Short mmCIF file of all heavy atoms in Angstrom, two decimals:
data_model
loop_
_atom_site.label_atom_id
_atom_site.label_comp_id
_atom_site.label_asym_id
_atom_site.label_seq_id
_atom_site.Cartn_x
_atom_site.Cartn_y
_atom_site.Cartn_z
N ALA A 251 -3.75 4.25 5.86
CA ALA A 251 -4.58 5.31 6.44
C ALA A 251 -5.75 5.58 5.51
O ALA A 251 -5.63 6.33 4.54
CB ALA A 251 -3.76 6.58 6.66
N GLY A 252 -6.88 4.97 5.80
CA GLY A 252 -8.03 5.06 4.92
C GLY A 252 -8.73 6.40 4.94
O GLY A 252 -9.37 6.79 3.96
N GLU A 253 -8.63 7.11 6.07
CA GLU A 253 -9.19 8.46 6.18
C GLU A 253 -8.34 9.29 7.11
O GLU A 253 -7.94 8.84 8.18
CB GLU A 253 -10.62 8.44 6.73
CG GLU A 253 -11.71 8.15 5.75
CD GLU A 253 -13.09 8.32 6.39
OE1 GLU A 253 -13.27 9.29 7.17
OE2 GLU A 253 -13.95 7.50 6.10
N THR A 254 -8.10 10.51 6.70
CA THR A 254 -7.49 11.53 7.54
C THR A 254 -7.70 12.86 6.83
O THR A 254 -8.20 12.90 5.71
CB THR A 254 -6.01 11.25 7.80
OG1 THR A 254 -5.50 12.24 8.70
CG2 THR A 254 -5.19 11.28 6.50
N GLY A 255 -7.34 13.96 7.48
CA GLY A 255 -7.49 15.25 6.81
C GLY A 255 -8.30 16.24 7.61
O GLY A 255 -8.28 16.25 8.83
N GLU A 256 -9.02 17.12 6.90
CA GLU A 256 -9.84 18.19 7.48
C GLU A 256 -9.07 18.95 8.55
O GLU A 256 -9.48 19.03 9.71
CB GLU A 256 -11.15 17.62 8.02
CG GLU A 256 -12.07 17.14 6.93
CD GLU A 256 -13.54 17.19 7.30
OE1 GLU A 256 -13.99 16.31 8.06
OE2 GLU A 256 -14.23 18.11 6.83
N ASN A 257 -7.93 19.52 8.11
CA ASN A 257 -7.09 20.24 9.04
C ASN A 257 -6.36 21.35 8.27
O ASN A 257 -6.61 21.54 7.08
CB ASN A 257 -6.10 19.27 9.72
CG ASN A 257 -5.79 19.67 11.15
OD1 ASN A 257 -5.46 20.81 11.43
ND2 ASN A 257 -5.92 18.70 12.06
N THR A 258 -5.48 22.05 8.94
CA THR A 258 -4.74 23.13 8.31
C THR A 258 -3.75 22.58 7.28
O THR A 258 -3.36 21.41 7.33
CB THR A 258 -3.97 23.94 9.35
OG1 THR A 258 -2.97 23.09 9.95
CG2 THR A 258 -4.90 24.48 10.42
N ASP A 259 -3.31 23.45 6.37
CA ASP A 259 -2.32 23.03 5.38
C ASP A 259 -1.05 22.54 6.06
O ASP A 259 -0.43 21.56 5.61
CB ASP A 259 -1.98 24.19 4.44
CG ASP A 259 -3.15 24.60 3.55
OD1 ASP A 259 -4.15 23.85 3.50
OD2 ASP A 259 -3.07 25.67 2.92
N GLU A 260 -0.65 23.21 7.13
CA GLU A 260 0.57 22.82 7.85
C GLU A 260 0.43 21.41 8.42
O GLU A 260 1.34 20.58 8.29
CB GLU A 260 0.87 23.81 8.97
CG GLU A 260 2.12 23.47 9.77
CD GLU A 260 2.35 24.42 10.93
OE1 GLU A 260 1.43 25.22 11.24
OE2 GLU A 260 3.44 24.37 11.54
N TRP A 261 -0.71 21.13 9.05
CA TRP A 261 -0.94 19.79 9.62
C TRP A 261 -0.98 18.75 8.51
O TRP A 261 -0.39 17.67 8.65
CB TRP A 261 -2.25 19.78 10.41
CG TRP A 261 -2.50 18.51 11.17
CD1 TRP A 261 -2.22 18.28 12.49
CD2 TRP A 261 -3.07 17.30 10.67
NE1 TRP A 261 -2.58 17.00 12.84
CE2 TRP A 261 -3.12 16.37 11.75
CE3 TRP A 261 -3.57 16.89 9.44
CZ2 TRP A 261 -3.62 15.08 11.62
CZ3 TRP A 261 -4.08 15.60 9.30
CH2 TRP A 261 -4.10 14.71 10.37
N ILE A 262 -1.67 19.07 7.42
CA ILE A 262 -1.77 18.13 6.30
C ILE A 262 -0.39 17.77 5.78
O ILE A 262 -0.08 16.60 5.55
CB ILE A 262 -2.63 18.73 5.17
CG1 ILE A 262 -4.08 18.94 5.64
CG2 ILE A 262 -2.59 17.85 3.93
CD1 ILE A 262 -4.81 17.69 6.04
N PHE A 263 0.46 18.77 5.59
CA PHE A 263 1.81 18.52 5.10
C PHE A 263 2.58 17.61 6.06
O PHE A 263 3.22 16.64 5.65
CB PHE A 263 2.56 19.83 4.90
CG PHE A 263 4.01 19.65 4.55
CD1 PHE A 263 4.39 19.28 3.26
CD2 PHE A 263 4.99 19.80 5.51
CE1 PHE A 263 5.72 19.08 2.93
CE2 PHE A 263 6.33 19.61 5.21
CZ PHE A 263 6.69 19.25 3.91
N LYS A 264 2.52 17.92 7.35
CA LYS A 264 3.28 17.15 8.33
C LYS A 264 2.77 15.71 8.44
O LYS A 264 3.57 14.77 8.50
CB LYS A 264 3.22 17.84 9.70
CG LYS A 264 4.03 19.12 9.78
CD LYS A 264 3.94 19.73 11.17
CE LYS A 264 4.79 20.99 11.28
NZ LYS A 264 4.69 21.60 12.63
N PHE A 265 1.46 15.55 8.45
CA PHE A 265 0.94 14.18 8.63
C PHE A 265 1.13 13.37 7.36
O PHE A 265 1.48 12.19 7.41
CB PHE A 265 -0.54 14.22 9.03
CG PHE A 265 -1.02 12.90 9.58
CD1 PHE A 265 -0.52 12.42 10.77
CD2 PHE A 265 -1.96 12.14 8.90
CE1 PHE A 265 -0.94 11.20 11.28
CE2 PHE A 265 -2.39 10.93 9.40
CZ PHE A 265 -1.88 10.45 10.60
N ARG A 266 0.93 13.99 6.20
CA ARG A 266 1.17 13.28 4.94
C ARG A 266 2.64 12.86 4.85
O ARG A 266 2.95 11.73 4.46
CB ARG A 266 0.77 14.18 3.76
CG ARG A 266 0.84 13.49 2.40
CD ARG A 266 2.18 13.64 1.73
NE ARG A 266 2.51 15.04 1.48
CZ ARG A 266 3.69 15.42 1.03
NH1 ARG A 266 4.67 14.54 0.81
NH2 ARG A 266 3.95 16.72 0.81
N SER A 267 3.54 13.76 5.23
CA SER A 267 4.96 13.45 5.19
C SER A 267 5.30 12.31 6.16
O SER A 267 6.14 11.44 5.86
CB SER A 267 5.79 14.69 5.54
OG SER A 267 5.55 15.73 4.60
N LEU A 268 4.65 12.31 7.32
CA LEU A 268 4.86 11.24 8.30
C LEU A 268 4.44 9.88 7.73
O LEU A 268 5.16 8.88 7.86
CB LEU A 268 4.06 11.54 9.57
CG LEU A 268 4.13 10.50 10.68
CD1 LEU A 268 5.50 10.51 11.34
CD2 LEU A 268 3.04 10.78 11.73
#
Side-chain angles (χ1 to χ4, degrees):
E253 278 187 40
T254 184
E256 291 207 283
N257 214 310
T258 64
D259 293 348
E260 180 183 11
W261 187 96
I262 295 298
F263 174 77
K264 288 181 178 179
F265 196 66
R266 186 269 299 173
S267 299
L268 178 71

